[in-house]
Coordinates of all heavy atoms in Angstrom, one line a residue:
R9 N 0.9 -1.2 0.0 CA 0.0 0.0 0.0 C 0.9 1.2 0.0 O 1.9 1.3 0.8 CB -0.9 0.0 1.2 CG -1.8 1.3 1.3 CD -2.4 1.5 2.7 NE -1.4 1.7 3.7 CZ -0.8 2.9 4.0 NH1 -1.2 4.0 3.4 NH2 0.1 3.0 4.9
V10 N 0.6 2.2 -0.9 CA 1.3 3.4 -0.9 C 0.3 4.5 -0.6 O -0.7 4.8 -1.3 CB 1.9 3.7 -2.3 CG1 2.6 5.0 -2.4 CG2 2.9 2.6 -2.6
G11 N 0.6 5.2 0.5 CA -0.4 6.2 1.0 C -0.1 7.6 0.5 O 0.8 7.9 -0.3
E12 N -0.9 8.5 1.0 CA -0.8 9.9 0.6 C 0.6 10.5 0.9 O 1.2 10.2 2.0 CB -1.9 10.8 1.4 CG -1.9 12.2 0.9 CD -3.0 12.9 1.7 OE1 -3.8 12.3 2.4 OE2 -3.2 14.2 1.5
G13 N 1.1 11.3 0.0 CA 2.4 11.9 0.1 C 3.6 11.1 -0.3 O 4.7 11.6 -0.3
V14 N 3.4 9.9 -0.7 CA 4.5 9.0 -1.1 C 4.6 9.0 -2.7 O 3.5 8.8 -3.4 CB 4.3 7.6 -0.6 CG1 5.4 6.7 -1.1 CG2 4.2 7.6 0.9
T15 N 5.8 9.1 -3.2 CA 6.0 9.0 -4.6 C 6.6 7.7 -5.0 O 7.6 7.2 -4.3 CB 7.0 10.1 -5.1 OG1 6.4 11.4 -4.8 CG2 7.3 10.0 -6.6
V16 N 6.0 7.0 -5.9 CA 6.5 5.7 -6.4 C 7.7 6.0 -7.3 O 7.6 6.7 -8.3 CB 5.5 4.9 -7.1 CG1 6.1 3.6 -7.7 CG2 4.4 4.5 -6.1
L17 N 8.9 5.4 -7.0 CA 10.0 5.6 -7.9 C 10.3 4.4 -8.8 O 11.0 4.6 -9.8 CB 11.3 5.8 -7.0 CG 11.2 7.0 -6.1 CD1 12.5 7.1 -5.3 CD2 10.9 8.3 -6.8
A18 N 9.9 3.2 -8.4 CA 10.2 2.0 -9.3 C 9.2 0.9 -8.9 O 8.7 0.8 -7.8 CB 11.6 1.5 -9.1
T19 N 8.9 0.1 -9.9 CA 8.0 -1.1 -9.7 C 8.7 -2.3 -10.4 O 9.5 -2.2 -11.3 CB 6.6 -0.9 -10.3 OG1 6.7 -0.7 -11.7 CG2 5.9 0.3 -9.7
H20 N 8.3 -3.5 -9.9 CA 8.8 -4.7 -10.5 C 7.7 -5.8 -10.4 O 7.1 -6.0 -9.4 CB 10.0 -5.3 -9.8 CG 10.5 -6.6 -10.4 ND1 11.0 -6.7 -11.7 CD2 10.6 -7.8 -9.9 CE1 11.4 -8.0 -11.9 NE2 11.1 -8.7 -10.8
Q21 N 7.3 -6.3 -11.6 CA 6.2 -7.3 -11.7 C 4.9 -6.7 -11.0 O 4.2 -7.5 -10.3 CB 6.6 -8.6 -11.0 CG 7.8 -9.3 -11.7 CD 8.2 -10.6 -11.0 OE1 7.8 -10.9 -9.9 NE2 9.0 -11.4 -11.7
G22 N 4.7 -5.5 -11.2 CA 3.5 -4.8 -10.7 C 3.5 -4.4 -9.3 O 2.5 -3.9 -8.7
Q23 N 4.7 -4.7 -8.6 CA 4.8 -4.3 -7.2 C 5.7 -3.1 -7.0 O 6.7 -3.0 -7.7 CB 5.3 -5.5 -6.4 CG 4.4 -6.7 -6.5 CD 4.5 -7.6 -5.2 OE1 4.0 -7.1 -4.2 NE2 5.0 -8.8 -5.3
V24 N 5.4 -2.3 -6.1 CA 6.2 -1.1 -5.8 C 7.4 -1.5 -5.0 O 7.3 -2.2 -4.0 CB 5.4 0.0 -5.0 CG1 6.3 1.2 -4.7 CG2 4.2 0.4 -5.8
V25 N 8.6 -1.1 -5.5 CA 9.9 -1.6 -4.9 C 10.8 -0.4 -4.5 O 11.9 -0.6 -4.0 CB 10.6 -2.6 -5.7 CG1 9.8 -3.9 -5.9 CG2 11.0 -2.0 -7.1
A26 N 10.4 0.8 -4.8 CA 11.1 2.0 -4.4 C 10.1 3.2 -4.3 O 9.3 3.4 -5.1 CB 12.2 2.4 -5.4
A27 N 10.3 3.9 -3.2 CA 9.3 5.0 -2.9 C 10.0 6.0 -2.0 O 11.0 5.8 -1.4 CB 8.1 4.4 -2.1
Q28 N 9.4 7.2 -2.1 CA 10.0 8.4 -1.4 C 8.9 9.2 -0.8 O 7.9 9.5 -1.5 CB 10.9 9.2 -2.3 CG 11.7 10.3 -1.5 CD 12.8 10.9 -2.3 OE1 12.9 10.7 -3.5 NE2 13.7 11.6 -1.7
Q29 N 9.1 9.7 0.4 CA 8.2 10.7 1.0 C 9.1 11.7 1.7 O 9.7 11.4 2.8 CB 7.3 10.0 2.0 CG 6.3 11.0 2.6 CD 5.3 10.3 3.6 OE1 5.5 9.1 3.9 NE2 4.2 11.0 4.0
G30 N 9.2 12.9 1.1 CA 10.0 13.9 1.7 C 11.4 13.5 1.9 O 12.1 13.1 0.9
R31 N 11.9 13.5 3.1 CA 13.3 13.1 3.4 C 13.5 11.6 3.7 O 14.5 11.3 4.2 CB 13.8 14.0 4.5 CG 13.8 15.5 4.3 CD 14.5 16.2 5.4 NE 14.0 15.8 6.8 CZ 12.9 16.2 7.3 NH1 12.1 17.1 6.7 NH2 12.6 15.8 8.5
V32 N 12.5 10.8 3.3 CA 12.6 9.4 3.5 C 12.6 8.7 2.2 O 11.6 8.8 1.4 CB 11.4 8.9 4.4 CG1 11.5 7.4 4.6 CG2 11.5 9.6 5.8
L33 N 13.6 7.9 1.9 CA 13.7 7.1 0.7 C 13.8 5.6 1.1 O 14.4 5.3 2.1 CB 15.0 7.5 0.0 CG 15.4 6.6 -1.2 CD1 14.4 6.7 -2.3 CD2 16.8 7.0 -1.7
A34 N 13.1 4.8 0.4 CA 13.1 3.3 0.7 C 13.2 2.5 -0.6 O 12.4 2.8 -1.5 CB 11.8 2.9 1.5
T35 N 14.1 1.5 -0.6 CA 14.2 0.6 -1.7 C 14.2 -0.8 -1.2 O 14.8 -1.1 -0.2 CB 15.5 0.9 -2.5 OG1 16.6 0.8 -1.6 CG2 15.5 2.3 -3.2
A36 N 13.4 -1.6 -1.9 CA 13.2 -3.0 -1.5 C 14.4 -3.9 -1.8 O 14.5 -5.0 -1.3 CB 12.0 -3.6 -2.1
F37 N 15.3 -3.4 -2.7 CA 16.4 -4.1 -3.2 C 17.7 -3.6 -2.5 O 17.7 -2.7 -1.7 CB 16.5 -4.1 -4.7 CG 16.3 -2.7 -5.2 CD1 17.4 -1.9 -5.5 CD2 15.1 -2.1 -5.5 CE1 17.3 -0.6 -6.0 CE2 14.9 -0.8 -6.0 CZ 16.1 -0.1 -6.2
H38 N 18.8 -4.2 -3.0 CA 20.2 -3.9 -2.4 C 21.0 -3.2 -3.5 O 21.8 -3.9 -4.2 CB 20.9 -5.2 -2.0 CG 20.3 -5.9 -0.8 ND1 20.7 -5.7 0.4 CD2 19.2 -6.8 -0.8 CE1 20.0 -6.5 1.3 NE2 19.1 -7.1 0.6
P39 N 21.0 -1.9 -3.6 CA 21.9 -1.2 -4.5 C 23.4 -1.3 -4.1 O 24.3 -1.1 -4.9 CB 21.4 0.2 -4.5 CG 20.7 0.4 -3.2 CD 20.1 -1.0 -2.9
E40 N 23.6 -1.5 -2.8 CA 25.0 -1.6 -2.3 C 25.7 -2.9 -2.8 O 27.0 -3.0 -2.6 CB 25.0 -1.5 -0.8 CG 24.7 -2.8 0.0 CD 23.2 -3.0 0.0 OE1 22.4 -2.3 -0.6 OE2 22.8 -4.0 0.7
L41 N 25.0 -3.8 -3.3 CA 25.7 -5.1 -3.8 C 26.0 -5.1 -5.3 O 26.4 -6.1 -5.8 CB 24.7 -6.3 -3.5 CG 24.4 -6.5 -2.0 CD1 23.6 -7.7 -1.8 CD2 25.7 -6.6 -1.1

């Protein structure tokens, strides 16, 4: 679920896997690898 104020940055297979809200960024994957 993506609520109010959240921007979807990426999806995979129809699922949201990256999102941002203001100063909070979240990615479901491992960019550090």
Side-chain angles (χ1 to χ4, degrees):
R9 178 195 63 85
V10 176
E12 185 177 355
V14 178
T15 300
V16 173
L17 301 180
T19 62
H20 178 66
Q21 296 180 347
Q23 301 212 66
V24 177
V25 294
Q28 185 166 16
Q29 182 178 13
R31 299 187 310 279
V32 179
L33 171 65
T35 53
F37 49 91
H38 290 265
E40 77 282 4
L41 298 183

